[in-house]
Amino acid sequence: MMPAGGAETRGQQIATLTRIARDLLLAPETEKVLEKAEKAIEGLPADAAERRMVQQTRHAIEHHRSVPASLIQERAALRTMAQSAWIEARSKSDFSIFAPHLQKTVELSRSYADCIGWTEHPYDAMVSIYEPGETASSLKALFSQLRRGLLPILDVARSRPQPRSDFLFRDYPEERQRAFGLDLAETLGYDFQRGRLDTTVHPFEVSFTRNDVRITTRYNRNHLPASIFGTAHETGHGLYEQGVDAAYTRTTLATDLVGLYAVGGTSFGAHESQSRLWENHIVRSRTFWRRHFPDLQRNFPEPLGDVSAEEFYRAVTRVEPGFIRVEADELTYDFHIMMRVEIECALMDGSLPVAELPGAWNAAVKRDLDLIVPNEAQGVLQDVHWSTGYIGSFPTYTIGNVMGAQVMEMLRRENSSLDAAIEAGEYAVLADELRTRIWRHGRRFMRDELLERETGRRLDIAPYLDYLESKYA
Amino acid sequence: MMPAGGAETRGQQIATLTRIARDLLLAPETEKVLEKAEKAIEGLPADAAERRMVQQTRHAIEHHRSVPASLIQERAALRTMAQSAWIEARSKSDFSIFAPHLQKTVELSRSYADCIGWTEHPYDAMVSIYEPGETASSLKALFSQLRRGLLPILDVARSRPQPRSDFLFRDYPEERQRAFGLDLAETLGYDFQRGRLDTTVHPFEVSFTRNDVRITTRYNRNHLPASIFGTAHETGHGLYEQGVDAAYTRTTLATDLVGLYAVGGTSFGAHESQSRLWENHIVRSRTFWRRHFPDLQRNFPEPLGDVSAEEFYRAVTRVEPGFIRVEADELTYDFHIMMRVEIECALMDGSLPVAELPGAWNAAVKRDLDLIVPNEAQGVLQDVHWSTGYIGSFPTYTIGNVMGAQVMEMLRRENSSLDAAIEAGEYAVLADELRTRIWRHGRRFMRDELLERETGRRLDIAPYLDYLESKYA
């Protein structure tokens, strides 16, 4: 909603607020209060909310004490430069324009990792910002299972003739897409009394408290799925935030004390699990379109007149390797992630020099997707992440896929009326389950702890592979 | 833009930020830096920007030191209660529901005034928050001149037959009004790269920096003037904020250090002078509608088909005393203000007990407007101000009227091509003058100092009375 001219000063305002938040966290008064609180929680159960608040505050203080303000400033300054270099590099499809900034990003990330501390691999420190508990080594193990599981499913899917998908690219007026999207979000349970759905170039979800959650989507007049599945995805994120226990509002259990911003989800991966669950397990399902395709057709009688619900479902689950991560189907998406994480690890430990990145990228795309990258804009320069100083966040997309399937499998197993409710379009049953088991806890439990409480297992890849196999093979 | 459910937590967030801002202002580190700055500015000219920054910070620190945090909390707590009581009281048209809260508001305002300090009248302390330099006594003198000047003009205006205004209440589709309003704001010079125009129940302007200014208006489908003149008014406020020197961004010269929020205008009255100038001197003028009525007619061919530019101008300058301040015409508006200020003074010095307020109100309306107040909702309960703990802001509306005319008179005198430019619809000439003389200075000069620099006189009522006389008598 901000006018374009406000971006620079808004950035300065956010930097000021973040610095003040950090200063308050590290102030002697906070230390005194915290020490008192540490005494007060003795005797409380290990998982008591109060105990967790205190422990998380202590952990955040240690984190921020370890990172000097000068490094934070250097990273912020770099970000501004790197982003405009990346924009130019991408528009000219010329990696060399971005390379020196990426080199600096890697160097500052290494310094940052050293400040935070790591034992096995510097990447471990970076991942801990987004997905506490994961490491280069745990991800390597996860990805090796995932790769082994995905390849045969992908083979089967690719051996079948492609369904038609021509109708997805017809003329879909934006206003109609918007009306359908608003209905969709509401149908899934998004509370518009405490949320909005707006339009942006890059879809996102952001929450200021559980009572003020904003989600956005984009509308492509000649490509219907972008807005539908984008809206479903962000609705999933929004539901998580709206579902956090009201008692945690404006406490550390709804705040990322390391990143210093309000968020109720317990990790990036846990957050992504909810968006992917609603996007893929619910909306990208045959059940959903059997029920709701007539609504969609009513909104778009012209372009969807000659299409059946089954044809629509098959078109939106079509599998086809491509160069672009954000356009990837469910079966190839994780390959995009795995190669990025592999590259990030190699950049962080120095085994891959920045200059050799384009070559490594293209080789990975050839190896995993059997495609020849046509240019750097559609290859190594496609994602914004590295230009913002983000190294270490990519794994959370795949973790979200895995966790979403694990939660869904558990719910289906434990609630025998869930499938019938979903078939009947009564999504409140699913939302209630997720609210009780996941959302309301906010950041009280770490991701694996939450999974163990609710599914009896830490992050487990089996349900995800089962889901993909039954859907795509 | 905020979803309705976010209001309460947003209020808490703002309270937190305000408290932190105050704490930072009163912190020993700030004192140290300020003392150093006070040495550094010695030798600078009296009106140097740096000197003013330092002096204003010192003044703000003294202000905030004088008001105990407990009193701020009491006022904030009262505000929440008083607002809901006022809403109920107004809907039931029953002053007695609101009276105990107003009693408390008066008491806390007296304590507040005592903290800030005053010599002649406790109201002086309250006015100093909004309009530094004005006092109960200076306002009394101003109002007595104003009343004496207004009465004969009002007599003449009321002796004439009323122009037709039936067409103002026809059917004006909101989307068309909005399109016209966006054009209008742009025509007057509002920069949409650094601003927005949105829709709210109560129009306002707010700026986060000069690069992010928001104005709003309301659309009444059966009353066209509300959106047109509302938009022109808020555009005037917005232009002031957008026109502050870029070098003052995020400095004390674009911050109200007493109220602790971003604002570039030097006082409430100075701000209102710019909104009233654009609303009344430019848009509510015969010159404007001679030029722009055809545009309006093109937007609304049906309801304005049988109307001439002159008829439209006469309708929107029709004079008719009424009960409601926000609906008042230019000639009677100030009477609404003067009676409120009179009442506020009497409440503050105790000469008017809260219980006698409705009687005093109705007597003033009879005396000034010769009207019998039909009920308390349309009388003493009509304004939100007192329910928010605001006492002392009403005078700034009339000060804005007076200052707007004074500035306009000076510009017309000093820039001989101004009127020709306005007639030609080239409002940039006026905007450039105002930017150079008023806007760019931000809060560097106090209102009267600014007026003296630019017009050679402190606040002076003569140009305002001249303007009203030539327009309405």
Side-chain angles (χ1 to χ4, degrees), chain A residues 11-279:
Chain A
Q12 293 166 353
Q13 291 168 325
I14 291 175
T16 297
L17 288 174
T18 306
R19 194 176 49 69
I20 291 173
R22 180 176 176 275
D23 288 349
L24 287 173
L25 198 58
L26 299 183
E29 292 88 335
T30 307
E31 182 61 34
K32 260 186 248 158
V33 174
L34 188 61
E35 279 167 16
K36 224 171 131 186
E38 280 168 336
K39 290 218 177 67
I41 57 164
E42 284 171 17
L44 289 182
D47 67 350
E50 292 81 359
R51 182 181 277 272
R52 294 303 170 92
M53 288 184 189
V54 172
Q55 289 169 337
Q56 289 169 10
T57 307
R58 172 61 66 203
H59 170 258
I61 287 176
E62 280 162 13
H63 170 91
H64 288 286
R65 278 222 182 100
S66 73
V67 183
S70 59
L71 181 55
I72 297 173
Q73 276 161 25
E74 260 191 294
R75 291 184 90 202
L78 171 65
R79 177 181 300 203
T80 312
M81 308 265 290
Q83 281 211 286
S84 51
W86 171 74
I87 288 166
E88 190 193 342
R90 195 171 70 151
S91 79
K92 295 184 177 161
S93 197
D94 181 355
F95 179 73
S96 70
I97 297 168
F98 180 52
H101 302 276
L102 183 56
Q103 180 64 44
K104 186 87 188 146
T105 299
V106 170
E107 282 162 21
L108 289 186
S109 295
R110 274 191 214 138
S111 305
Y112 192 67
D114 290 343
C115 292
I116 302 171
W118 52 275
T119 40
E120 285 193 17
H121 196 285
Y123 193 62
D124 300 353
M126 302 311 287
V127 178
S128 77
I129 305 291
Y130 310 104
E131 202 63 25
E134 296 297 337
T135 62
S137 144
S138 71
L139 291 167
K140 201 171 171 186
L142 179 75
F143 289 176
S144 126
Q145 287 183 284
L146 179 57
R147 189 179 289 274
R148 214 169 28 242
L150 279 176
L151 285 173
I153 308 173
L154 187 56
D155 277 346
V156 175
R158 294 191 69 182
S159 69
R160 279 199 303 257
Q162 288 290 25
R164 67 180 284 219
S165 64
D166 58 297
F167 51 83
L168 296 180
F169 304 92
R170 290 176 179 168
D171 185 30
Y172 295 92
E174 182 172 321
E175 262 318 297
R176 288 283 176 82
Q177 288 193 50
R178 194 174 129 72
F180 186 82
L182 287 166
D183 272 356
L184 173 63
E186 194 154 31
T187 300
L188 300 181
Y190 188 67
D191 179 0
F192 280 96
Q193 267 298 105
R194 298 187 287 128
R196 292 180 59 94
L197 167 59
D198 292 298
T199 311
T200 50
V201 178
H202 301 288
F204 64 82
E205 175 274 326
V206 64
S207 77
F208 307 112
T209 65
R210 75 193 289 278
N211 300 318
D212 188 356
V213 176
R214 317 285 177 105
I215 60 175
T216 72
T217 193
R218 62 179 144 202
Y219 302 97
N220 181 337
R221 184 157 186 155
N222 296 112
H223 190 228
L224 182 58
S227 78
I228 294 178
F229 295 99
T231 300
H233 183 95
E234 302 305 334
T235 298
H237 283 303
L239 286 168
Y240 194 172
E241 292 295 319
Q242 290 189 335
V244 174
D245 192 327
Y248 296 169
T249 303
R250 307 187 75 230
T251 72
T252 62
L253 300 183
T255 306
D256 182 331
L257 289 173
V258 169
L260 294 169
Y261 54 86
V263 64
T266 193
S267 76
F268 276 55
H271 231 301
E272 194 72 8
S273 79
Q274 301 305 294
S275 56
R276 297 294 267 180
L277 188 158
W278 288 93
E279 176 192 358

Side-chain angles (χ1 to χ4, degrees), chain B residues 354-365:
Chain B
V354 166
E356 292 172 22
L357 174 48
W361 182 284
N362 297 349
V365 172

Side-chain angles (χ1 to χ4, degrees), chain A residues 75 183 221 357 375 377 408 415:
Chain A
R75 291 184 90 202
D183 272 356
R221 184 157 186 155
L357 175 48
N375 55 55
M408 199 63 204
N415 183 334

Side-chain angles (χ1 to χ4, degrees), chain A residues 261-309:
Chain A
Y261 54 86
V263 64
T266 193
S267 76
F268 276 55
H271 231 301
E272 194 72 8
S273 79
Q274 301 305 294
S275 56
R276 297 294 267 180
L277 188 158
W278 288 93
E279 176 192 358
N280 287 332
H281 292 257
I282 300 304
V283 178
R284 203 185 301 275
S285 74
R286 184 175 272 123
T287 307
F288 188 88
W289 293 110
R290 267 202 197 135
R291 176 156 204 97
H292 296 286
F293 186 70
D295 306 336
L296 189 65
Q297 228 172 5
R298 257 192 302 281
N299 269 269
F300 303 105
E302 188 72 14
L304 291 178
D306 63 340
V307 181
S308 72

Side-chain angles (χ1 to χ4, degrees), chain A residues 1 5 16 193 196 209 250, chain B residues 1 5 9 16 193 196 250:
Chain A
M1 293 294 173
T16 297
Q193 267 298 105
R196 292 180 59 94
T209 65
R250 307 187 75 230
Chain B
M1 293 296 172
T9 40
T16 297
Q193 267 297 103
R196 290 181 59 94
R250 306 186 76 230

